[in-house]
Amino acid sequence: MKSDFKYKMVISALRLFAVLPLPVLYVLSDVMYVAVYHLAGYRKKVVRANLEMVFGTGDREKILKIEKGFYHHLCDCIVETVKLLHISDKEIDRRVIVTNGELVDDIINSGHSVVLLLGHYCNWEWVQAIIHHFKAELVGGQIYKPLHNKVMDEVMLKIRSRFGLECVPQQKTVRRLLDIERSGRHFVMGFISDQRPIGRNLHNWTDFMGIDTPYAVGGEVVGEHVGARFLYVDMKKVKRGHYSLTFRPIVPDDNDKDPNPYTRSFMKMLEKSIYAAPQYWLWSHKRWKKHRTSPSAR
């Protein structure tokens, strides 16, 4: 009962903010930027270390420009995510332009499910708007990692299911997707696949952004099991509050004979997106905390 009360309080407060038009929310985002970056210095050491690992330490001006751009964008993402509690289908479709949803329809109509691989790039929470652009009959969803805080977990589930997508917990991914296939239906399921593998699942490594990096293979393993097709969600920030989204087939390198070639090809595609506009990636994540030589990574 106590957690239900807290949830109602939090969701009610967020809805009050969500009612505000986005231009007003962006003013709040600018204020938040000052607090988060200049006053609190939220994860600034992590962000700076990650940027220097990728871009080196020689060009301090470049590092600072990306760093500040990242924090501005992070604050925008926060208010944009809250806005999902009060945004019309018409407005979200105007702000997220999808150029080739018919590619997904063609795959579904050919008898295959679709695994979407994406990263913490641009505003991944707004990717759920893609469901409006599919005409084929399908089950749309996203895989998520439940939060430890039950109240915030409920809040995020509410936000992430705004457009009817099914939120599937990580630990139930295989069972749920197999159930969909066995029922004679097909799915379009999003996997955010640029995070560090959890626990001791540090068995797969590749070069990412010039750094030896462990990667998760869940999306590819499940997709291969059901004969799914793999697409990269190529998202770009056109301007503040406006994004373009393109589905691109993930084609493994012919010379890549190791397991999980689709995931490695996805990471190369994501890497290209990040290099093009690095301020829009989630640099505050401790992506390179583990190393292949550390005991827990063996």
Side-chain angles (χ1 to χ4, degrees):
M1 292 295 292
K2 188 176 181 180
S3 62
D4 288 343
F5 176 74
K6 287 183 178 180
Y7 167 76
K8 291 178 181 178
M9 291 291 289
V10 172
I11 205 73
S12 297
L14 291 177
R15 278 180 170 148
L16 288 176
F17 282 100
V19 171
L20 298 172
L22 269 169
V24 175
L25 289 175
Y26 286 133
V27 173
L28 296 178
S29 174
D30 291 339
V31 174
M32 190 187 309
Y33 163 76
V34 175
V36 171
Y37 180 66
H38 291 288
L39 300 180
Y42 170 73
R43 291 202 171 189
K44 189 181 287 188
K45 289 183 178 180
V46 174
V47 173
R48 181 72 58 84
N50 283 341
L51 287 171
E52 290 181 347
M53 285 180 69
V54 173
F55 298 104
T57 59
D59 192 340
R60 179 176 172 78
E61 184 176 342
K62 177 181 179 179
I63 294 294
L64 286 176
K65 182 178 179 180
I66 297 172
E67 182 178 281
K68 291 178 180 179
F70 160 71
Y71 279 98
H72 274 295
H73 175 67
L74 177 65
C75 293
D76 279 0
C77 283
I78 292 171
V79 300
E80 287 172 0
T81 299
V82 172
K83 185 63 181 177
L84 287 171
L85 289 169
H86 192 277
I87 192 169
S88 67
D89 291 1
K90 183 178 180 180
E91 184 173 5
I92 196 70
D93 287 345
R94 181 173 65 85
R95 291 179 175 277
V96 180
I97 303 300
V98 178
T99 58
N100 61 343
E102 65 276 4
L103 175 59
V104 173
D105 288 330
D106 291 343
I107 294 173
I108 295 294
N109 290 331
S110 71
H112 297 277
S113 288
V114 177
V115 167
L116 301 176
L117 298 182
L118 60 150
H120 289 91
Y121 188 72
C122 286
N123 190 338
W124 56 95
E125 298 292 356
W126 275 22
V127 171
Q128 61 176 291
I130 62 176
I131 198 67
H132 295 147
H133 300 272
F134 305 143
K135 297 178 180 178
E137 184 176 347
L138 53 84
V139 177
Q142 54 189 317
I143 308 303
Y144 80 101
K145 181 181 179 181
L147 301 175
H148 294 298
N149 185 302
K150 291 184 179 181
V151 172
M152 290 310 300
D153 188 53
E154 290 272 338
V155 169
M156 291 308 299
L157 282 175
K158 181 72 174 178
I159 291 173
R160 288 169 175 166
S161 59
R162 161 65 182 82
F163 300 105
L165 286 184
E166 180 178 342
C167 295
V168 181
Q170 278 183 337
Q171 65 271 25
K172 297 182 180 179
T173 301
V174 176
R175 178 182 297 179
R176 178 58 186 140
L177 299 192
L178 287 178
D179 284 346
I180 293 171
E181 286 286 322
R182 288 165 181 164
S183 70
R185 297 174 294 168
H186 299 296
F187 59 79
V188 174
M189 197 65 56
F191 289 75
I192 296 183
S193 300
D194 62 340
Q195 69 272 40
R196 189 179 70 250
I198 60 176
R200 295 182 176 273
N201 297 320
L202 302 173
H203 310 302
N204 303 283
W205 297 74
T206 190
D207 180 279
F208 177 62
M209 308 291 286
I211 304 167
D212 194 29
T213 305
Y215 62 90
V217 299
E220 182 167 356
V221 170
V222 176
E224 288 278 24
H225 192 72
V226 299
R229 300 296 184 258
F230 299 92
L231 300 178
Y232 171 52
V233 181
D234 186 3
M235 196 174 195
K236 292 181 172 61
K237 189 169 185 175
V238 179
K239 60 182 179 179
R240 203 174 201 182
H242 292 266
Y243 300 89
S244 68
L245 193 154
T246 305
F247 299 110
R248 301 194 186 281
I250 299 176
V251 181
D253 187 337
D254 290 337
N255 297 321
D256 189 347
K257 304 303 180 183
D258 293 332
N260 316 306
Y262 286 96
T263 306
R264 282 191 297 281
S265 291
F266 149 72
M267 293 182 72
K268 289 299 179 186
M269 297 172 84
L270 175 62
E271 180 182 89
K272 184 177 179 180
S273 296
I274 296 170
Y275 277 132
Q279 67 271 31
Y280 301 139
W281 192 50
L282 190 65
W283 293 98
S284 56
H285 178 57
K286 296 180 180 180
R287 188 63 183 87
W288 294 290
K289 181 179 179 180
K290 299 295 184 181
H291 303 281
R292 210 186 294 221
T293 56
S294 65
S296 59
R298 291 173 183 168

